[in-house]
Amino acid sequence: MKNKYFKLAILLLTQNIAANAQHQTTEFDSTYVHMEESGLSHVYMHKLITLNDYTGCKNNSVQKLDYDPLSAYVEFTRVVVHRVSGQIDTIYDARSEKQNTPVRDYIAPARMIYWGASQKMITVGPLDPGDRLETWSYRKGYTYALLGDDDSKYIPPMRGHFYDIVPFWSAYPIKEKVYIVSIPSDKFVQYKAYNGDIETKKDTLQEAQRVCYTFSKKDIIPLNREPRSLANNDIQCKLLISTSPDWEAKSRWFYNVNETYGSFNSTPELRQKVNELLRPAQNEMDSISILTHWVADNMRYAGISMGEGEGYTLHNAEMNLTDMCGVCKDKAGLLVAMLRAAGFKSYAAMTMAGERIDRIPADQFNHSVAVVQRRDGRFELLDPTWVPNVRELWSSAEQQQGYLIGTPDGADLAETPISDPENHYIRIKSSSEIKRNGTLICEIAITAEGQSDNAVRGVFDCRMSEWEGNLEKEILRISPNAEFISVTHTDNDKYLEQPVTITYKIKVPNYAIVNKNEIIFIPFSARNFYARAMSHLSFDENMANREYSFADRCSRMVNIEESIKLPYKYTQLHFPQITGVAGGSAAFGCRYWLNDGMLQFGESVVFQKRIYESNEWPAFRETVSKQKALATTPVILTR
Amino acid sequence: MRKTIATIIAILCSTSFSFAQSTYTPDAEYQLLSRTYQLNEDGTIDITYRKELKLIRNRAITEYADKGETFILYNPETDRLTINESYTLLPDGRKVNTPANAFINQLPSGCSDCDSYIGLREMAIVHTALVPECIIVLDYTIHRTGHPYIQERVILAEDCPILKNELTVKWSSNNRFHHSERNIPKNAIEENGDRYYRLSLTETPQTFSDTYLPDAETLYPTVYIANHVDGSTMADFNALVSEPLQISETLHKHLHKDKTDEHIKAIRDHVVDHIRTNHLPSQLIGFRYQTAQSTYDNQCGTPTDKAILLAALYRQCGYQARLIPGTKEIHTTTQTIKILDEKSTAIEVNADGLTYIVYPAKGTRIQLLGSAIDDAHIIDTVQTLQWKPIELADGYLQIALPYEKSRFNINPSQLTSVRKSPIKVQPVDEHYQYTIMLPYNVKMIGRNININKTENGIGSVEISIKQNGNRLTINRHLTITTDTITPEQYKKFRKLVQLWHSNKELFFKQ
């Protein structure tokens, strides 16, 4: 998944939850799951919704069921509207012989992943506030695909197993939610409620040799989400249930399914390509880096279906090299195949971008990556999907994230480590002069590494003809009347050769107020130069407290130094005290001092990680707040 | 004098140094982009597209959705889509055919959640084997049987250069064909009697990406093509309105308002806000709109479907209403024709002896026919501000002037030193006068400010800031007298905008 789309999805979901709460109320939401010995599950859903206003009516005037025809079957069983007038209208009844409202079945609109994901849709028609909509539907199958002549295509690839991730949260109020699952009594079952309590009941049906688990919760109220808080499944009530004994079993399954298919089998073309690419490699790390970045930058993110096995099987090297496109798993697959062709021990791994993976081994994955074993025996993560145009092999925007490597012996769930803020530094160095007429002459350079390097180079994320304009806008955002003298930068097309450096020489008329007694101005470098690379500045520091954990894009360090030649000799410095912050997770410091007729300015900001606990908010907030204050507070010097 | 010349040379050198690298490599380049319309005697139309797109920079492969994929909208009920050729030509000359699993026939997103348009399809083609310097070749034909009309505004520019850009129309004696061009040289057009029209451009530059751009047809080569003279007659809109409409009693009560103008607005807002909109080209649906009842029953429709429903709802609520299809006049070499312009479709509602013009779009004004429209854009504000400074240090104070709800929305940080495209602006005449009574011992730092700049044909900026005793008077006056800034006027306009946004923060000493 490309991170920009992922961020957008999170944002939309966040907004949706707050906005939709009042439009409808779910009276009850019941799900009954019958699991067969093979793992095939039959899911019966029954729901009653009261519409509270015309927006709620609009949102429910069609009903849709999503499914992948290769691995799942869905149907509407019955749809009934209980009108506010007391009239009951049956919109659809699968058992009725009368003319029903047609159920439409089509491949859903898609971008980037074209696997034929489908929808069934039924038009409910006009609704009025106070109407209640009751729906019954049925689903069998799985998210993944195994083709067969009969129901076998709906049996999950990890045969004989069942898992589910059941949100006990909602964008709308739910008066009662019940989830019942019936499982053969010889199956091992583990489950756990997270982020809240769920009432649980276990009934053993001796004769049927089944165990029935009932999970229920009343009065589910939509959460008033805090901006930048974690995924709903991380902070709101959910149930995880799985028959898989542990993550090791899942790891072995993932390894075997791709080895059996031959996802990483070498071909003469693959070997030739690897040899050609590795010709300039000097050492182990060179080889890993060359192959990772080649896959990242040359294999387009666009998923086409391989048919049987799509969704969980990594396309093989032959397919990938021919198509030169695929989703994350296919990019990971090609990289594993190339690394193996180069003599490395390498495996594919699964991870969950933007959401926590909990200990119950349900299938909490939305992303696939590669791992390589270094000579010293340790495994190193590689993400060819998230590192195009990034000077990393594993994107630190994915630090503090769970992952599972598919290995022959089975691996346990692991978490990616915190990336040192120094790996993502932003250094701004400026040398300037203020003339007696208030004009600023300034040479300012920014250099950055890691995720910050990528964020700074966002100015080049456009057609080449727009580069100059984008570079200039970074200055104009601070001083719209700035005049350019020159700008130089490292070659964006050779971003792997060195961290980005962009150096400007500018002139800004009327930048400072200068008179015979005093001078007033804000150092250019203090004014959030290249704020595009400082995502922490978009946090709302007016929020006093946070109840939930929150996330920034990445750990980060910002160091700013400026030396300013002044038009007169000044003796006194007037500046409001902006005290430092020394929190465990975020820190800030700044200072001004006069040195030999020059004004010196220094600022330092550190954010230690990506995901923060709510009790770390005060230090984070104060650091952001101080940096913003510094950017808008003038320094005054008097003679 | 010598010093002045040296300064000029220095400025010229520095300018050329910083922006000399004006030779840009485009991300991609169309070697050929061609469209052919064949108007057949039996009323069917064959539309053939061909593109030969060369991917040059890496981002053409990894960043763009529209370079690596092609999306073709069609109506399987009336259109037959034939892919004539689809392959990638590799730099070494090898040809890689697009595999079968790279053609996905899916629902267009514009048809989501609407039973009326659930039959339309989008063929998504994923181009494979993309490498730098490869050429994507795609050629397809849509044989359209649903209606005999063509009506299109074709912008002959893309976000990368087009080396060869062709548009051809062939028609039979039964057909008529009208065309009108903008920004196209006459010698680019080849006409053969009354059966053949061919427009051929070479080296069309890529589109602009600047902010505040005017309408595309004023910037790029554009051609209107149509085979009828009055778009408003392509469908019998008011017959669709006239069909009886049944709505729920609850909705009827919900929309009721005692005052007529509020009632008219409530009905409009319900249709705008609570009936889903499907943005689909009328060409695609064959100019066959839904009846008002169908739009209501399905709770969705195109903007024109919603306009039909709105007119019918007014009638249902007891008003006289009719739909006025929006049209745009296009001047061909021989006559003026009317192209359907759905954005300007309106409903005329007669109530209480008054005529209201209602546009079925969010936030638009409901206009009384004959009433004056406020288009003077004049703001004249006189305000006494409270003295609420920010305390800096050691008796230094700062104030910021209040945020002005200006209709002038140009952000100076978007105005770079060089611009080749025009700017669309809103003519304004805005005057803000603020008075602040200062405490007796407070003095403004710096001299009084007096800026007065007029640029003929663009506008003017006047700013004066004066402290007289303990009274601080601030006068700010902006006029913009045009709606388009040409590239030639840009530098002067930019300077005016910079001045307008200057001196908004003031400093004082206690």
Side-chain angles (χ1 to χ4, degrees), chain A residues 2 4 54-55 58 61-62 64 84 104 106-112 114 121 123 125-126 128 297-298 300 302 304-305 322-325 461-469 472-473 476-477 480-482 484-488 493 513 515 518 520 573-576 632-634 636 638, chain B residues 14 17-19 21 24-25 27 57-59 61-65 68-69 71 101 104-107 109 112-113 115 118 121-122 124 126 128-130 159 206-209 248 250-251 254 270 273-274 276 296-299 392-394 396 398 412-417 445 494 498 507:
Chain A
K2 281 203 164 173
K4 58 186 166 187
Y54 275 108
T55 302
K58 176 185 172 183
S61 63
V62 295
K64 290 188 288 193
V84 68
R104 310 297 187 181
Y106 51 85
I107 296 178
R111 288 290 181 270
M112 299 171 84
Y114 305 94
M121 184 190 94
T123 299
D128 289 305
D297 287 342
N298 291 283
R300 178 178 168 79
I304 53 178
S305 177
T322 308
D323 293 340
M324 285 305 287
C325 66
D461 193 9
C462 54
R463 298 178 295 181
M464 206 187 237
S465 57
E466 293 153 31
W467 286 8
E468 284 174 3
E472 191 178 354
K473 282 177 192 167
L476 299 182
R477 197 176 49 75
N481 60 332
F484 264 52
I485 298 168
S486 69
V487 57
T488 57
D493 289 343
I513 294 175
N515 59 33
E518 62 233 319
I520 305 176
L573 177 66
H574 309 273
F575 190 74
T632 54
T633 306
I636 302 158
T638 50
Chain B
S14 62
F17 172 73
S18 57
F19 293 130
Q21 304 157 18
Y24 307 112
T25 308
D27 292 338
R57 300 191 66 236
N58 178 269
R59 50 187 313 275
I61 298 169
T62 55
E63 287 291 320
Y64 290 94
E69 283 120 88
F71 304 97
N101 60 344
I104 302 95
N105 207 14
Q106 61 187 18
L107 187 76
S109 59
S112 284
D113 301 348
D115 199 69
I118 210 76
R121 285 295 173 266
E122 175 184 75
V126 181
T128 61
L130 305 184
D159 60 2
Q206 63 187 18
T207 51
F208 298 109
S209 65
S248 77
T250 311
L251 177 60
H254 171 77
H270 181 81
D273 293 338
H274 297 123
R276 284 186 299 278
Y296 176 72
D297 288 345
N298 288 312
Q299 296 282 291
L392 297 173
D394 305 328
Y396 285 93
Q398 180 183 6
S413 70
Q414 294 296 310
L415 302 183
T416 51
S417 50
I445 296 173
R494 182 175 182 243
Q498 287 172 354
F507 295 93

Side-chain angles (χ1 to χ4, degrees), chain A residues 120-351:
Chain A
K120 284 190 179 176
M121 184 190 94
I122 193 162
T123 299
V124 176
L127 294 163
D128 289 305
D131 286 352
R132 292 187 304 159
L133 176 66
E134 190 169 11
T135 54
W136 291 259
S137 55
Y138 166 75
R139 166 193 301 273
K140 68 177 165 184
Y142 207 71
T143 316
Y144 298 145
L146 269 185
L147 290 173
D149 294 325
D150 44 38
D151 270 1
S152 66
K153 72 175 179 178
Y154 304 127
I155 296 170
M158 201 170 167
R159 197 180 173 93
H161 282 291
F162 169 81
Y163 75 86
D164 209 349
I165 304 157
V166 189
F168 274 78
W169 56 268
S170 167
Y172 316 103
I174 301 178
K175 289 187 180 168
E176 184 168 16
K177 181 175 173 107
V178 179
Y179 179 88
I180 303 170
V181 57
S182 166
I183 294 176
S185 51
D186 60 341
K187 298 280 182 191
F188 167 80
V189 178
Q190 51 179 329
Y191 58 85
K192 190 176 174 184
Y194 291 84
N195 313 316
D197 297 324
I198 298 170
E199 200 172 303
T200 307
K201 202 170 81 172
K202 181 178 169 186
D203 295 305
T204 303
L205 310 173
Q206 295 289 4
E207 274 186 29
Q209 296 185 320
R210 304 187 71 80
V211 181
C212 210
Y213 298 86
T214 303
F215 304 94
S216 62
K217 192 172 178 74
K218 286 187 176 169
D219 298 325
I220 299 170
I221 306 295
L223 182 75
N224 192 9
R225 279 182 59 98
E226 296 164 348
R228 314 282 287 259
S229 56
L230 304 186
N232 283 308
N233 271 336
D234 289 355
I235 59 174
Q236 300 206 61
C237 189
K238 70 174 175 188
L239 167 75
L240 295 186
I241 182 165
S242 177
T243 60
S244 178
D246 47 37
W247 284 115
E248 283 82 354
K250 193 90 196 166
S251 161
R252 283 190 296 274
W253 166 79
F254 186 58
Y255 172 82
N256 284 323
V257 79
N258 289 299
E259 296 295 337
T260 307
Y261 172 67
S263 299
F264 316 120
N265 288 355
S266 191
T267 65
E269 291 76 17
L270 182 83
R271 281 190 293 276
Q272 190 188 336
K273 190 75 204 171
V274 168
N275 290 340
E276 175 195 320
L277 290 170
L278 294 187
R279 224 164 275 148
Q282 303 284 318
N283 54 41
E284 180 191 28
M285 216 42 235
D286 274 356
S287 303
I288 294 169
S289 176
I290 287 168
L291 295 179
T292 303
H293 285 291
W294 187 83
V295 175
D297 287 342
N298 291 283
M299 187 168 170
R300 178 178 168 79
Y301 189 97
I304 53 178
S305 177
M306 61 185 269
E308 181 180 355
E310 188 53 83
Y312 62 91
T313 312
L314 282 55
H315 289 188
N316 64 35
E318 185 185 359
M319 204 185 300
N320 283 327
L321 273 186
T322 308
D323 293 340
M324 285 305 287
C325 66
V327 296
C328 54
K329 67 177 177 61
D330 310 319
K331 294 185 85 162
L334 179 58
L335 180 55
V336 171
M338 288 183 125
L339 286 163
R340 288 190 184 181
F344 288 96
K345 191 179 244 186
S346 176
Y347 301 110
M350 297 182 284
T351 180

Side-chain angles (χ1 to χ4, degrees), chain A residues 561-572:
Chain A
E561 284 175 31
E562 184 162 353
S563 173
I564 306 143
K565 189 176 171 193
L566 301 166
Y568 297 102
K569 190 164 183 184
Y570 298 92
T571 54
Q572 278 194 301

Side-chain angles (χ1 to χ4, degrees), chain A residues 353-400:
Chain A
E355 203 170 303
R356 191 179 66 227
I357 303 177
D358 289 296
R359 283 306 309 174
I360 300 286
D363 230 29
Q364 303 155 74
F365 301 110
N366 65 359
H367 185 37
S368 183
V369 295
V371 290
V372 64
Q373 190 166 29
R374 301 286 299 276
R375 279 203 197 105
D376 59 11
R378 72 194 155 87
F379 284 111
E380 181 151 342
L381 282 157
L382 311 168
D383 188 347
T385 304
W386 279 42
V387 299
N389 212 23
V390 176
R391 288 173 49 79
E392 290 191 292
L393 296 173
W394 168 257
S395 167
S396 296
E398 298 177 272
Q399 59 184 286
Q400 297 166 276

